[in-house]
């Protein structure tokens, strides 16, 4: 048995490493720089260290389609983003399916892990596989779906100790797929009755979390008008045993801020307009603008001239202690502040400066900032480094907005 992992990002690389400890595994990616770095034991996502890469003795890396022809199990882990209209952008998935289709042989199994809407594997991917290979689905080749559950930056919940949902295009293939994952997942597996069920299970995991965060974000908007602290309210309510401990914040990243749109897209396609899902998305997407506008009001309250003032944003990644900047909603705060004529500097020791420049057009500060230089400071991401900074140099006249609620209370003017 030879496996090929298509796409070596936050999801694909940990998967390739675990399989590479037991089976001959080929890691394939179209990014030549990424492949060269991995060959040298460097993972810029910081999900896998050099020792872990070396432990996967049966793992090789390539950009060549010729090198993956010998595989008989292909696992696709490419991104599934949204476009400017917030509709699914299936381009990476379709291109990956075409690549696999060109090398597909009789008896091969293609497993998808990319997050999609229910039905996508068999309605979108399978036709591409059939077209490129000339083979017949469920006669010549088979498919499976096992949704990824990688949590970037989380060193506690990692691939082997997170229960895995599996599925297959026939009962026999479903069992094969399940046994394959069982061989590397110590937490065990859950065999879903169909590919479509497994796809739906994945997309609602993040939609549910998105809606819960939207609820507490709406509470933050209400409590701001009532002039009470949201975190104080949540702390008090949290003394009840069954109260869910969600916190307000900016909802970005490649999952929670994206997946609900995949489910909404499919719902509208079959004639149902989802109200709660999209309402939650609207609320969460507006939080960056709320933060920026609140900072402006606080600047005025403290006697600052808004236009021409300087703001410091601490953090640009979508979550703490992680270099992932995909779909970071911190950019909403930055853009809104700039609309008011405020000069914005951004400091983030976790983010890659070139990637930030390419993705958002921002020049990150390379050295630890001097707080005395800024009229407003927004802590946007709770990196561990930010908790250790010396905030005593912040002038009394400066506005401090703590989105994450991690700074001392007497230091901040407003928490989300």
């Amino acid at each position: 048995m030879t496996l090929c992992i298509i796409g070596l990002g936050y999801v694909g690389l940990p998967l390739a490493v675990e399989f590479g400890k037991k089976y001959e595994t080929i890691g394939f990616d179209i990014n030549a720089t990424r492949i060269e770095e991995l060959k040298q034991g460097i993972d810029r996502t910081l999900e896998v260290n050099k020792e872990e890469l070396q432990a996967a003795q049966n793992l090789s890396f390539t950009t060549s389609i010729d090198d993956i022809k010998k595989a008989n199990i292909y696992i696709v882990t490419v991104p599934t983003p949204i476009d400017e209209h917030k509709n699914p952008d299936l381009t990476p998935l379709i291109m990956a399916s075409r690549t696999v289709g060109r090398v597909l042989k009789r008896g091969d199994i293609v497993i998808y892990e990319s997050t999609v809407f229910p039905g996508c594997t068999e309605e979108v991917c399978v036709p591409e596989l059939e077209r490129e290979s000339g083979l017949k689905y469920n006669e010549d080749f088979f498919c499976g779906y096992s949704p990824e559950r990688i949590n970037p930056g989380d060193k506690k919940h990692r691939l082997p100790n997170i229960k895995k949902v599996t599925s297959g295009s026939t009962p026999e293939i479903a069992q094969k797929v399940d046994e394959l994952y069982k061989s590397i997942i110590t937490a065990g597996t859950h065999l879903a009755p169909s590919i479509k069920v497994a796809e739906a299970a994945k997309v609602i995991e993040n939609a549910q979390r998105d809606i819960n965060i939207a609820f507490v974000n709406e509470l933050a908007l209400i409590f701001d008008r009532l002039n009470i602290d949201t975190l104080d309210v949540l702390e008090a309510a949290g003394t009840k045993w069954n109260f869910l401990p969600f916190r307000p914040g900016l909802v970005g990243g490649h999952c929670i801020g994206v997946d609900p749109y995949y489910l909404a897209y499919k719902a509208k396609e079959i004639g149902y307009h989802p109200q709660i899902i999209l309402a939650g998305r609207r609320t969460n997407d507006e939080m960056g603008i709320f933060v920026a506008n609140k900072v402006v009001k606080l600047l005025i309250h403290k006697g600052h001239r808004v236009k021409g003032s300087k703001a410091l944003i601490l953090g640009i990644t979508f979550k703490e202690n992680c270099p992932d900047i995909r779909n970071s909603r911190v950019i909403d705060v930055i853009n809104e502040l700039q609309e008011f004529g405020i000069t914005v500097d951004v400091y983030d020791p976790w983010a890659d400066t070139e990637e930030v420049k390419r993705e958002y057009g921002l020049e990150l500060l390379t050295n630890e900032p001097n707080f005395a230089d800024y009229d407003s400071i927004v802590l946007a991401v709770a990196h561990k480094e930010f908790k250790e900074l010396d905030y005593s140099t912040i002038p009394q006249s400066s506005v401090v907005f703590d989105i994450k609620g991690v700074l001392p209370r007497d230091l901040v003017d407003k928490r989300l």
Side-chain angles (χ1 to χ4, degrees):
M1 182 168 62
T2 300
L3 286 80
C4 176
I5 312 300
I6 308 290
L8 298 173
Y10 285 85
V11 174
L13 181 61
L15 194 67
V17 167
E18 291 303 320
F19 277 127
K21 295 174 183 177
K22 293 197 170 190
Y23 313 105
E24 184 177 0
T25 304
I26 307 163
F28 175 87
D29 202 288
I30 60 173
N31 186 333
T33 302
R34 173 72 166 159
I35 292 298
E36 286 307 310
E37 288 178 345
L38 290 173
K39 286 180 177 178
Q40 297 169 28
I42 301 169
D43 171 28
R44 61 173 56 242
T45 70
L46 305 181
E47 289 300 303
V48 178
N49 60 40
K50 193 168 187 175
E51 291 72 27
E52 289 171 318
L53 280 168
Q54 291 172 342
Q57 296 181 350
N58 303 309
L59 174 61
S60 60
F61 299 106
T62 187
T63 59
S64 172
I65 192 170
D66 289 333
D67 293 337
I68 68 174
K69 289 179 178 179
K70 63 179 178 179
N72 41 43
I73 295 179
Y74 297 90
I75 303 179
V76 178
T77 63
V78 296
T80 44
I82 52 174
D83 62 20
E84 65 272 20
H85 304 296
K86 302 192 185 303
N87 290 320
D89 178 3
L90 298 176
T91 304
L93 195 65
I94 291 170
M95 297 305 292
S97 297
R98 289 175 182 173
T99 297
V100 174
R102 294 184 190 113
V103 296
L104 203 59
K105 306 172 295 301
R106 281 182 171 80
D108 287 355
I109 301 173
V110 185
I111 304 168
Y112 289 87
E113 289 212 8
S114 304
T115 302
V116 293
F117 52 78
C120 183
T121 298
E122 292 170 299
E123 295 166 13
V124 176
C125 301
V126 165
E128 297 291 341
L129 295 171
E130 289 185 320
R131 189 177 300 114
E132 291 291 333
S133 67
L135 300 175
K136 184 76 173 172
Y137 177 54
N138 276 345
E139 290 183 15
D140 301 319
F141 73 93
F142 306 89
C143 284
Y145 184 82
S146 180
E148 60 90 0
R149 280 179 167 170
I150 297 294
N151 188 24
D154 190 338
K155 301 307 178 186
K156 180 182 178 183
H157 302 98
R158 307 193 71 192
L159 177 65
N161 60 24
I162 302 174
K163 195 162 190 173
K164 201 88 162 68
V165 174
T166 64
S167 64
S169 55
T170 70
E172 294 78 19
I173 293 301
Q175 287 294 335
K176 284 187 178 182
V177 172
D178 193 59
E179 290 299 321
L180 176 67
Y181 280 101
K182 271 182 180 174
S183 70
I184 64 164
I185 305 296
T186 57
T189 61
H190 173 88
L191 180 55
S194 69
I195 286 176
K196 191 178 286 189
V197 167
E199 291 168 325
K202 170 57 181 175
V203 82
I204 71 164
E205 288 175 18
N206 290 322
Q208 181 189 66
R209 186 165 173 78
D210 192 45
I211 291 166
N212 278 300
I213 298 172
F215 171 64
V216 293
N217 273 338
E218 186 165 73
L219 293 180
L221 300 177
I222 296 169
F223 295 149
D224 175 66
R225 298 188 179 197
L226 293 174
N227 199 30
I228 53 179
D229 188 278
T230 305
L231 297 186
D232 285 344
V233 177
L234 293 176
E235 185 179 345
T239 58
K240 190 168 187 284
W241 74 90
N242 59 354
F243 186 82
L244 301 177
F246 286 91
R247 300 279 290 270
L250 305 175
V251 183
H254 65 296
C255 287
I256 300 177
V258 173
D259 295 357
Y261 288 120
Y262 273 73
L263 185 56
Y265 169 85
K266 188 63 178 180
K268 286 186 282 188
E269 190 180 70
I270 58 175
Y272 180 80
H273 184 77
Q275 299 181 54
I276 294 175
I277 294 170
L278 292 179
R281 279 281 73 237
R282 284 193 297 272
T283 298
N284 287 339
D285 277 347
E286 291 169 0
M287 293 310 292
I289 295 173
F290 167 77
V291 169
N293 279 269
K294 196 66 183 179
V295 168
V296 169
K297 290 177 182 179
L298 290 168
L299 281 169
I300 295 170
H301 181 73
K302 284 197 168 186
H304 290 276
R305 183 182 175 185
V306 174
K307 187 175 182 180
S309 68
K310 290 190 68 177
L312 172 66
I313 307 294
L314 295 175
I316 186 66
T317 62
F318 92 91
K319 66 182 292 189
E320 65 274 6
N321 307 323
C322 171
D324 195 346
I325 64 167
R326 290 175 296 172
N327 194 36
S328 171
R329 295 335 310 161
V330 179
I331 194 64
D332 298 338
V333 181
I334 296 168
N335 289 341
E336 189 72 6
L337 290 175
Q338 290 175 334
E339 284 288 317
F340 283 100
I342 297 173
T343 300
V344 181
D345 286 343
V346 182
Y347 176 62
D348 193 322
W350 281 83
D352 181 88
T353 54
E354 288 302 315
E355 188 180 3
V356 171
K357 185 176 181 180
R358 186 170 58 251
E359 185 73 20
Y360 299 116
L362 295 172
E363 296 278 357
L364 290 183
L365 295 177
T366 54
N367 297 314
E368 191 173 302
N370 180 5
F371 293 128
D373 294 337
Y374 298 96
D375 304 295
S376 58
I377 298 161
V378 179
L379 189 142
V381 186
H383 291 318
K384 58 186 179 183
E385 289 85 351
F386 293 162
K387 298 175 184 178
E388 298 166 359
L389 293 176
D390 179 12
Y391 294 99
S392 63
T393 59
I394 297 178
Q396 286 286 329
S397 60
S398 294
V399 170
V400 179
F401 196 115
D402 182 8
I403 293 177
K404 301 300 292 185
V406 296
L407 299 179
R409 288 288 297 274
D410 58 356
L411 181 68
V412 303
D413 296 282
K414 175 67 178 176
R415 303 194 297 182
L416 189 58

